[in-house]
Each structure stands twice: as structure tokens, then as C-alpha cells.
Amino acid sequence: DQPKLKKGIYKHYKNKKLYEVQNVARHTESEEWVVIYKPLYKSDFADLDIRPYKMFFEKVKNPETGKLVSRFAYVRSKYKN
């Protein structure tokens, strides 16, 4: 089954940059679910990025505090109110 995804703006725990999460997709060979997201800053790489779903939402150790935090934290809807 397709995993649930809250579309919107997320912040990366380490670089503090914002990303727009657009959707999930399934890798056709491995059948692994991936998150499709767009950097909201000038990137020297691609216009869109993907990351395995489990990795996108996993808890990681914050290097500044040593506490477990979400790799990407939901900030808000794509649309500002």
C-alpha cells in the first residue's frame, strides 16, 4: 500500500533549508517507496530530489544537541495563509 504523505514545506534538520514535498513514488525494480521533493533554494543539483520514504521520515541524531529529531520536519502547507 502507498504510504501516507503530508504534502507541504519541510525543513532539513542539519542544513535548516526548506523543501517542498510533492508526492511519493514507487521504484519499479526494488518496489521501494520514495519521497519526491523540491529544494526551495538555488541548488547546484537537480530541480527535484528523491529520497527513500523510510530515510526521509527517520529519526536522526542532531549533531548540535545529540537528541533524536526528524530528518525532515513539517513546517507548513505549501500555501501561506
Side-chain angles (χ1 to χ4, degrees), residues 8-56:
I9 308 303
Y10 286 73
K11 180 168 60 174
H12 189 269
Y13 81 104
K14 194 171 5 178
N15 68 20
K16 311 292 190 228
K17 293 183 178 177
L18 297 177
Y19 300 84
E20 178 192 340
V21 169
Q22 298 184 336
N23 216 332
V24 291
R26 188 175 54 86
H27 189 286
T28 58
E29 297 298 319
S30 70
E31 297 188 359
E32 180 179 29
W33 288 99
V34 296
V35 175
I36 302 167
Y37 60 104
K38 175 183 177 180
L40 295 180
Y41 59 91
K42 171 89 170 82
S43 174
D44 294 332
F45 301 107
D47 291 338
L48 292 174
D49 294 325
I50 65 168
R51 185 179 294 252
Y53 183 90
K54 287 181 181 180
M55 182 185 288
F56 190 93

